[in-house]
Amino acid sequence: MIRVENLTATYGEVIAVDDISVNIDDGGFVLVVGANGSGKTTFVRHLNALLEPEEGTVEVDGIDVTADPIAARANIGMVFQQPRDQFVAATIGADVAFGPENLGLDREEVDRRVESALQAVNLDGRANDRIDELSGGEQARVAIAGALAMEPSYLVLDEPFTGLDQPARESVLDQLDALQADGTGILVVTHDLRDLHSRADRLLGMHDGRIVVDGPPREVAEELPGIDVRVVEGLR
Ligand code: ADP
């Protein structure tokens, strides 16, 4: 379980996250939705200690992320909006191996994890392909594989569909469905609910740094402040 208690984060005068308390169960599919600037990215970056809480606490599977950021990170995989910014190697296999290598695992275990992560995103046999020659959708899947190779309990994806066309989007969604079926908890930050609301079992709606809406997507989407009414109609 992820436990967030009284989390507050500021940038100078701006209160980006304002006293958030929320628990996120294992194995669920959660959407974090809200207008630009509502605090979504700042919130999720605290979940794996990319940002340290100024006030409040974040615990992942009983580990306080401030006390032990490395252990906490091992349980939460992050995939960023621009996967390109996340790659550290030239080829798919080397990139996906980077995380497990840094955990100090032996070669055999690293290879096993890379193979299994690439299988999970349908990129098996592609380890030697150059990342800069891949399509946007393939790059998104490499970024997911990199996070999966850490064998996390949760995967957090911040606007993972930016710049993807519909087939690529569907391919990433299929991977997420498969992962969830295998027990990985999924958190997706998005402003685009189109084909996500039916997959997710919970929607956290953010506004001005707070979670103002929390419930099953179909039931709560129209309570979201500032959300485009056409989006809500599409959900019915
Ligand atoms: P969202 O992901 O919902 O767009 P963010 O977490 O990025 O929201 O931003 C929340 C608030 O914090 C916004 O007012 C934004 O302008 C501000 N903010 C975010 N990152 C920074 C930063 N690095 N420096 C200063 N202000 C920031």
Side-chain angles (χ1 to χ4, degrees):
M1 177 162 16
I2 301 175
R3 298 168 67 95
V4 177
E5 267 179 42
N6 302 111
L7 179 67
T8 291
T10 57
Y11 299 101
E13 301 279 286
V14 177
I15 301 174
V17 169
D18 188 2
D19 196 23
I20 284 185
S21 295
V22 67
N23 288 344
I24 296 169
D25 291 330
D26 296 354
F29 197 135
V30 179
L31 303 178
V32 180
V33 184
N36 257 342
S38 57
K40 305 180 298 294
T41 294
T42 304
F43 169 56
V44 299
R45 287 188 173 217
H46 280 86
L47 300 182
N48 82 333
L50 273 173
L51 294 172
E52 197 172 303
E54 278 166 37
E55 277 176 48
T57 53
V58 178
E59 258 182 33
V60 178
D61 295 342
I63 300 166
D64 183 315
V65 301
T66 309
D68 196 347
I70 293 171
R73 263 179 217 141
N75 286 344
I76 295 212
M78 292 283 286
V79 177
F80 301 103
Q81 188 166 4
Q82 297 290 346
R84 225 164 274 126
D85 300 341
Q86 190 167 355
F87 298 130
V88 293
T91 63
I92 295 177
D95 193 80
V96 174
F98 181 78
E101 280 165 355
N102 276 342
L103 290 179
L105 303 171
D106 62 35
R107 191 71 245 166
E108 211 171 296
E109 174 64 8
V110 171
D111 290 346
R112 185 194 68 73
R113 287 190 179 206
V114 170
E115 203 179 309
S116 140
L118 290 181
Q119 248 167 21
V121 298
N122 289 332
L123 286 172
D124 34 335
R126 305 276 305 272
N128 294 324
D129 289 11
R130 290 189 59 86
I131 291 176
D132 56 10
E133 288 169 2
L134 303 177
S135 69
E138 287 169 331
Q139 290 191 352
R141 279 149 57 199
V142 175
I144 292 173
L148 288 181
M150 304 297 279
E151 302 198 337
S153 318
Y154 312 87
L155 192 60
V156 177
L157 303 101
D158 191 353
E159 299 280 4
F161 308 108
T162 307
L164 299 191
D165 58 15
Q166 190 56 24
R169 179 183 167 98
E170 275 163 23
S171 146
V172 172
L173 283 169
D174 289 345
Q175 316 303 332
L176 296 185
D177 287 342
L179 288 173
Q180 200 208 358
D182 276 351
T184 307
I186 310 277
L187 241 99
V188 179
V189 175
T190 185
H191 62 273
D192 179 357
L193 288 169
R194 258 182 305 166
D195 36 15
L196 279 165
H197 70 284
S198 55
R199 293 176 152 84
D201 34 48
R202 186 173 181 195
L203 183 153
L204 300 176
M206 290 193 65
H207 184 67
D208 282 350
R210 292 173 178 264
I211 293 176
V212 294
V213 168
D214 182 357
R218 267 172 209 284
E219 291 170 26
V220 300
E222 52 198 294
E223 296 167 21
L224 280 172
I227 195 152
D228 186 335
V229 70
R230 282 166 306 178
V231 172
V232 174
E233 277 166 8
L235 301 183
R236 289 212 179 99

